[in-house]
Structure formats: structure tokens, C-alpha cells
């Protein structure tokens, strides 16, 4: 087994590859290596990279340096799990130029989504137990329209819904996406007053955060979330995210039992939903 990789080895890697590559190109660091480069982790097992465009002679250089530095180098990126996310090049961050090779950190938003796609298969059976859950086949559309990637359970009998996933829009372009479980009620819900009162109480009892709870015209919601940066510091990112999802869903089950008077069920024969018009909060 090879030793873990530290920032110094990545610096050496860039230096050597920049000298030995025989043509222009770009190398994107992904996974643990990208987190390592900005100080979120102290070490990583593998160095995952994407070549785009591929520099001439790079595979011969990689084979040689793997032995010289005693490191694992793998060709792996979010595009192995999801279609290329629009704008991924623009959101990737330049690190340095070594010879003819540019080194970048691969788009963190795309990395977040790839981890989500791997983690959700395990979680789906849990959220599917929520009444009114519907498989969302338009997740990538949600990214473009609402800046999020969520699985959704609609509880139409009360005009509200439950979402689990990533929130990609943040207050600053440098912020990292968050992993979130949320409950949101529409402005014209016929049970809004009752739901809002319970939401305020849940925030106090369970330390959830709230949005628009005193605004009668808002798509008001409460949520529990954690920055994805927190999970990138873990050895197994996907397992850590899955554990967060499971813990928050367990907490939601407790909330449902405590507030059993709320309209948790779905209207089975309504023939229409409101997921297409959900707010972008």
C-alpha cells in the first residue's frame, strides 16, 4: 500500500509533469486532491485528475512519476458519473502554470453533484417512505432554474413539501454548496398558519434554521444543513454525506410523530403537483 499524499507531493507532481509533458494541455485536480490543495484536508489516498485537453506525452510522464513519488494517480472526475455541468470550466479555479501545462481545481459544484449521485441511491428508499414522494428525473433542470439538486416529497394536502439534497446557490461565489433537508410551505396553503407555528417551534426545539416565517407572502421554510466543505475533510466523503442524510431523516421522523396533527400526507387523486413551481429559496 502506498503512503498518503500530502501537499508537497502534489507540488512535486505538478513540477515534474510540467517539465515532461510534450504539449499544451490542462490537468484538473478532483476529489481529495482538490480539497487538499486549499487546506481542507491534510492528506489524501489518491490523486484524481482529469485531462482536458490531454497534453501530448502525459501518460508516459504519469507512469514514471507514479513510481518516483510512490503515489496513486487515477483518471477520475464528475464527468464519469454525470453529464458535463454547464459552466464547469468557468467555475474551475486556476492553480498554476508549469511549462505548457495549466493546473486547475475542478469545479466544486460539479464535484458536489457527482457525490450526490453516488450517495442518493442508498438514501432513496428512506425518503421514498415519505408520503407523496415522486422520483425527480429533472434534477439537472433544477440546477439551472433553482440552483439546487433535490429529491422532493410533496405533501399537497397541506400545500408544503420536503426536499433533501444540495443547495448550490449561496451568498458568495466563493462559498461552497450546502447539504440540506428542508420543509417549505407555499404562501396560499390552507394550513399555513398551523404549519408556520409548528415550524417556529421546530426551530427552537431541534435547532433548525428558518426563512420567511413572518412573511405571509413568502415560500417559508425551515431546514437543517451543513457545508459540503465539512464532508470533504472526511476520508470517505460519500459515506459522511449519507450519514448526514440518514441522521436528518431520522430526526424528521421524530418531528412527524411529535407534530402528527400536521398534514404530512399527499393528495393521491389531484392529478397535478407543484414541484415545477417550487421556490428557489
Amino acid at each position: 500500500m502506498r503512503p498518503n499524499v500530502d501537499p508537497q507531493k502534489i507540488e512535486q507532481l505538478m513540477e515534474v509533469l510540467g517539465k515532461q509533458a510534450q504539449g499544451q494541455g490542462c490537468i484538473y485536480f478532483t476529489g481529495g486532491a482538490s480539497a487538499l490543495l486549499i487546506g481542507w484536508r491534510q492528506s489524501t489516498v489518491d490523486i484524481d485528475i482529469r485531462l482536458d485537453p490531454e497534453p501530448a506525452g502525459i501518460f508516459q510522464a504519469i507512469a514514471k512519476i507514479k513510481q518516483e513519488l510512490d503515489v496513486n494517480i487515477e483518471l477520475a472526475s464528475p464527468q464519469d458519473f454525470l453529464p458535463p455541468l454547464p459552466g464547469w470550466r468557468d467555475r474551475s479555479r486556476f492553480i498554476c502554470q508549469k511549462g505548457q501545462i495549466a493546473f486547475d481545481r475542478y469545479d466544486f459544484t460539479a464535484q458536489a453533484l457527482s457525490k450526490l449521485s453516488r450517495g442518493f441511491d442508498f438514501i432513496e428508499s428512506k425518503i421514498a417512505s415519505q408520503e407523496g414522494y415522486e422520483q425527480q428525473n429533472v434534477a439537472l433542470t433544477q440546477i439551472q432554474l433553482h440552483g439546487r439538486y433535490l429529491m422532493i416529497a410533496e405533501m399537497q394536502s397541506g400545500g408544503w413539501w420536503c426536499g433533501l439534497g444540495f443547495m448550490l446557490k449561496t451568498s458568495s461565489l466563493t462559498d461552497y454548496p450546502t447539504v440540506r433537508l428542508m420543509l417549505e410551505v407555499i404562501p396560499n396553503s390552507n394550513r399555513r398558519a398551523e404549519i408556520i407555528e409548528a415550524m417556529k417551534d421546530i426551530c427552537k426545539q431541534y435547532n433548525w434554521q428558518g426563512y420567511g416565517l413572518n412573511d405571509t407572502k413568502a415560500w417559508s421554510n425551515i431546514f437543517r444543513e451543513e457545508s459540503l466543505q465539512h464532508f470533504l475533510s472526511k476520508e470517505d466523503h460519500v459515506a459522511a454525506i449519507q450519514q448526514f442524510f440518514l441522521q436528518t431523516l431520522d430526526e424528521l421522523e421524530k418531528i412527524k410523530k411529535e407534530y402528527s396533527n400536521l398534514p404530512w400526507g399527499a393528495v393521491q387523486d389531484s392529478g397535478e403537483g407543484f414541484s415545477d413551481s417550487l421556490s428557489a429559496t
Side-chain angles (χ1 to χ4, degrees):
M1 179 180 294
R2 284 173 166 154
N4 283 357
V5 176
D6 58 23
Q8 289 71 35
K9 280 198 174 181
I10 293 184
E11 291 289 343
Q12 290 177 276
L13 174 79
M14 292 190 290
E15 195 69 39
V16 173
L17 291 182
K19 291 178 179 178
Q20 296 187 2
Q22 300 169 15
Q24 294 182 346
C26 186
I27 297 178
Y28 294 88
F29 289 103
T30 69
S34 60
L36 184 65
L37 284 166
I38 54 176
W40 289 353
R41 301 183 63 175
Q42 298 301 313
S43 66
T44 187
V45 176
D46 301 314
I47 300 177
D48 295 332
I49 61 173
R50 178 175 179 80
L51 309 174
D52 195 342
E54 179 186 315
I58 195 66
F59 287 107
Q60 295 89 329
I62 289 175
K64 183 178 179 180
I65 198 171
K66 285 174 70 173
Q67 300 304 318
E68 291 179 353
L69 296 182
D70 195 21
V71 295
N72 290 320
I73 302 175
E74 304 289 344
L75 296 179
S77 79
Q79 293 185 35
D80 297 325
F81 303 95
L82 293 172
L85 197 63
W88 72 268
R89 292 183 190 275
D90 295 332
R91 287 188 300 273
S92 296
R93 293 293 177 260
F94 176 74
I95 301 170
C96 66
Q97 181 85 25
K98 299 288 185 181
Q100 300 183 73
I101 307 300
F103 292 91
D104 289 55
R105 291 192 302 271
Y106 195 96
D107 172 25
F108 276 142
T109 296
Q111 291 195 57
L113 292 183
S114 71
K115 294 182 186 303
L116 178 65
S117 68
R118 285 174 277 170
F120 262 21
D121 288 343
F122 178 69
I123 299 301
E124 179 141 17
S125 62
K126 291 289 185 179
I127 194 170
S129 66
Q130 305 295 321
E131 292 186 70
Y133 169 74
E134 294 183 2
Q135 173 70 38
Q136 297 298 305
N137 296 319
V138 292
L140 292 179
T141 302
Q142 286 192 47
I143 297 168
Q144 297 172 338
L145 296 179
H146 301 307
R148 67 188 181 206
Y149 189 104
L150 298 175
M151 290 192 296
I152 291 170
E154 295 181 6
M155 298 168 293
Q156 295 179 12
S157 60
W160 61 325
W161 59 278
C162 172
L164 180 72
F166 283 102
M167 303 297 291
L168 307 178
K169 284 185 177 179
T170 53
S171 58
S172 169
L173 292 177
T174 60
D175 287 345
Y176 207 61
T178 59
V179 181
R180 175 184 290 192
L181 172 70
M182 65 186 296
L183 294 169
E184 185 169 79
V185 60
I186 64 177
N188 61 349
S189 166
N190 60 357
R191 303 284 296 273
R192 181 180 173 89
E194 179 185 5
I195 292 171
I196 289 292
E197 189 66 27
M199 283 182 165
K200 291 179 179 179
D201 196 43
I202 291 168
C203 286
K204 292 178 181 178
Q205 287 200 52
Y206 291 89
N207 199 31
W208 285 35
Q209 300 179 60
Y211 171 84
L213 299 182
N214 295 315
D215 184 349
T216 57
K217 297 181 180 180
W219 289 68
S220 306
N221 62 69
I222 59 174
F223 55 92
R224 178 176 292 285
E225 69 176 359
E226 186 75 61
S227 171
L228 203 66
Q229 178 180 351
H230 167 77
F231 299 105
L232 284 178
S233 66
K234 307 298 183 182
E235 192 65 35
D236 189 332
H237 309 157
V238 175
I241 293 170
Q242 289 176 344
Q243 186 62 28
F244 174 83
F245 286 151
L246 290 174
Q247 289 175 346
T248 52
L249 287 171
D250 285 345
E251 188 166 84
L252 179 60
E253 284 301 313
K254 294 179 182 178
I255 290 171
K256 288 176 66 175
K257 291 178 181 178
E258 184 173 350
Y259 297 88
S260 58
N261 59 307
L262 295 180
W264 297 102
V267 177
Q268 300 296 336
D269 59 352
S270 66
E272 61 181 23
F274 52 80
S275 60
D276 290 340
S277 60
L278 296 179
S279 81
T281 303

